[in-house]
Amino acid sequence: MYVIFDPSISYSISPKVEVYVEWTPGYWRHTTDGKWSSTNHPTDGQYFAYGAYWNPTKKISVNPYLLYQISAAPKDRGLDKQDIGLLLQYTFM
């Protein structure tokens, strides 16, 4: 189980295009051994995402984004991972 605090802010450029910024200061994991992870576990960290939602039709949604992870481990402070992604969604109903 994960508990995530993930605030975001978005701005509508037009009825079909919206840009956003998202920040995840950390998350907690509950494992099968009954323990919660710490927010400064080396594999965790803060995430920043920048992206857009483009809805060319009512049934199609396109979401390109950039995501950056900053390591939580004190010895590894700094930019840890970068992702470039593209999510496509089609609604059948």
Side-chain angles (χ1 to χ4, degrees), residues 6-79:
D6 189 21
S8 66
I9 188 166
S10 63
Y11 178 75
S12 294
I13 295 173
S14 73
K16 295 186 177 197
V17 178
E18 184 176 313
V19 294
Y20 68 89
V21 176
E22 181 178 356
W23 169 58
T24 305
Y27 58 89
W28 298 271
R29 287 177 288 197
H30 188 269
T31 58
T32 55
D33 64 1
K35 296 181 180 177
W36 285 93
S37 71
S38 170
T39 55
N40 41 343
H41 187 274
T43 61
D44 298 342
Q46 295 187 45
Y47 292 84
F48 296 94
Y50 310 95
Y53 292 109
W54 174 48
N55 300 303
T57 69
K58 289 183 179 182
K59 294 189 173 250
I60 297 173
S61 179
V62 181
N63 172 220
Y65 66 88
L66 296 170
L67 182 135
Y68 301 96
Q69 178 189 7
I70 297 172
S71 177
K75 66 182 178 92
D76 296 328
R77 287 263 188 243
L79 186 62

